[in-house]
Amino acid sequence: LLEKFGITSAAYFLRIIMDGIPPSKDKHLFIKDLRFEKVEVRMYQPKISTAGQRRGVLYFHGGVGWLGSIRAYERICRYFARKTNSVVVSVGYRLAPEHPYPTQFEDCLTATIHFMRTAQDYGVDSSRIIVCGDSSGGTLAAAVAQALVNRRDVPKLRAQILIYPFLQAADFNLPSYQQNEGVPILSKERTLILGLKYLNKDLSALNSILKGSHIPEELRLKYQKWLSPDNIPHEFKSRGYMPSTIQPYSEELHAFTKPFLEPVFSPLLSEDSVIAQLPETFILTCEYDVLRDDGLLYKKRLEDHGIKVTLCHLQEGFHGTIFLAVYGKILSFQSGIKGLQKIT
């Protein structure tokens, strides 16, 4: 309504809401704003003394590339720094539409490489650096991890932590999309609307993309081995699942959605040669989340290549439960509290 009356944009309004009220000063942490080359970051360093170097965690916030901020994720980053005695770097990547995709990925990659090269300056062991993110931040963490596998000028990542990540835009009819299509906070339709806005694309093709008309036959066959519902354990289909029928392919739609299928946007669609080199992985999924099966399918792909994966599935969880968990009793749910503990 505010946007229709010309008062403010939906993005600006939602950013203010998401930022919320900043927490008070933290007596357990040194907190400072820095710039890693052109990227704004906030570093959280525990005040407690330690005999050796700490692990480092780069945190990429969620928000579909056009929401979220360092301030919005202040509580989460403080929590992880305190509870794990780690140096946490919250990356303030630039947001769309002011800074078009893939600026967000480029900023996260730049900040990661800078931190890896300067880790010792902050008391961090460069062999114990982790990338972590939730929702679209999980997409960014996965994409950064993939971009680093063939780099020889920086240390290897120790691990990646992906919290209910979005990992593919090829199939919006997986069991979790069918079972949770109307579940808040992230419905099936809303997922694609946000993705189209992130890429600054028109919404007119929404229904055709949801039906899969953007995937040509040769890619459908290629993706089948990675995206097949057969790769999802049977217990995750118990709430119901109907295999989708193949829709007529549109070459025009495929050209329109080409960025959707790039590994930066859809890390699950990366080639085997990249997947096989990824570090140890922790994936958190929620039962009542359209993105649940993205995490489950990525787990299988990684394990098929011998990568160690820890899965935390929150049976009562929903998309966003980790973000809410640090806001105290009023907003937190047991699923989010359990998830935070497992990540720690």
Side-chain angles (χ1 to χ4, degrees):
L1 286 172
L2 291 171
E3 192 167 73
K4 285 180 180 177
F5 284 111
I7 297 170
T8 187
S9 71
Y12 182 73
F13 177 75
L14 289 169
R15 286 173 190 176
I16 291 173
I17 296 298
M18 200 168 177
D19 278 358
I21 300 169
S24 56
K25 192 173 180 180
D26 195 311
K27 63 182 180 181
H28 302 291
L29 301 171
F30 294 111
I31 302 174
K32 50 190 170 186
D33 292 327
L34 302 168
R35 190 174 284 271
F36 284 178
E37 297 184 35
K38 61 187 176 184
V39 185
E40 293 180 2
V41 303
R42 182 168 293 169
M43 184 175 287
Y44 306 83
Q45 293 174 291
K47 289 182 178 180
I48 187 172
S49 60
T50 182
Q53 294 176 314
R54 289 185 168 91
R55 80 175 57 80
V57 180
L58 287 131
Y59 196 94
F60 309 135
H61 66 75
V64 206
W66 55 279
L67 297 174
S69 64
I70 287 174
R71 173 171 159 173
Y73 280 76
E74 180 82 11
R75 288 173 173 82
I76 282 184
C77 290
R78 287 188 184 189
Y79 179 93
F80 288 140
R82 288 195 311 266
K83 296 292 184 180
T84 69
N85 192 25
S86 302
V87 174
V88 174
V89 176
S90 182
V91 179
Y93 57 84
R94 292 168 291 175
L95 301 177
E98 299 93 329
H99 303 279
Y101 166 89
T103 300
Q104 298 69 32
F105 162 73
E106 291 166 353
D107 283 358
C108 290
L109 182 60
T110 295
T112 302
I113 291 171
H114 181 94
F115 186 51
M116 294 177 109
R117 287 175 173 166
T118 60
Q120 292 189 348
D121 296 346
Y122 307 107
V124 170
D125 181 350
S126 61
S127 68
R128 297 173 66 213
I129 292 176
I130 294 166
V131 289
C132 176
D134 67 298
S135 193
S136 61
T139 316
L140 291 167
V144 166
Q146 292 185 3
L148 291 172
V149 297
N150 290 318
R151 303 267 314 218
R152 299 293 175 260
D153 55 335
V154 290
K156 291 285 187 183
L157 275 179
R158 173 63 185 86
Q160 58 178 341
I161 296 175
L162 313 178
I163 304 166
Y164 34 73
F166 174 93
L167 296 173
Q168 60 84 31
D171 190 344
F172 293 97
N173 286 292
L174 293 168
S176 61
Y177 272 106
Q178 292 187 17
Q179 295 163 359
N180 304 308
E181 65 176 333
V183 173
I185 299 173
L186 193 65
S187 67
K188 175 178 175 175
E189 187 174 282
R190 177 62 55 185
T191 302
L192 186 51
I193 289 172
L194 293 172
L196 287 166
K197 284 187 173 184
Y198 178 28
L199 296 178
N200 198 26
K201 296 281 189 180
D202 185 79
L203 301 182
S204 59
L206 181 72
N207 289 329
S208 297
I209 299 170
L210 286 173
K211 292 175 182 176
S213 297
H214 60 306
I215 307 296
E217 182 62 22
E218 64 271 20
L219 284 184
R220 195 183 301 277
L221 291 171
K222 177 181 179 179
Y223 296 158
Q224 184 64 17
K225 61 182 178 181
W226 303 333
L227 297 178
S228 171
D230 293 341
N231 294 337
I232 298 167
H234 179 73
E235 61 264 28
F236 294 102
K237 302 170 195 170
S238 62
R239 289 196 288 125
Y241 167 64
M242 285 288 292
S244 57
T245 55
I246 295 176
Q247 300 296 318
Y249 164 63
S250 165
E251 190 172 340
E252 182 183 0
L253 188 61
H254 176 62
F256 175 78
T257 59
K258 212 163 187 182
F260 269 38
L261 308 179
E262 296 169 353
V264 167
F265 194 86
S266 293
L268 182 54
L269 305 182
S270 277
E271 297 298 330
D272 288 339
S273 58
V274 173
I275 300 292
Q277 299 181 70
L278 288 170
E280 184 177 348
T281 302
F282 176 99
I283 298 174
L284 184 140
T285 57
C286 293
E287 179 62 26
Y288 300 99
D289 181 7
V290 290
L291 303 184
R292 180 197 69 199
D293 293 346
D294 283 21
L296 297 176
L297 291 169
Y298 204 46
K299 172 182 181 287
K300 185 176 189 309
R301 276 209 77 190
L302 291 165
E303 289 180 334
D304 285 348
H305 288 279
I307 310 299
K308 183 181 177 183
V309 181
T310 300
L311 175 70
C312 170
H313 180 65
L314 302 176
Q315 191 61 42
E316 302 299 323
F318 57 92
H319 197 84
T321 190
I322 300 298
F323 180 78
L324 295 174
V326 292
Y327 278 87
K329 293 181 180 179
I330 296 175
L331 293 176
S332 66
F333 292 76
Q334 281 302 313
S335 61
I337 294 168
K338 179 184 175 182
L340 278 178
Q341 292 169 348
K342 292 287 187 180
I343 295 164
T344 299

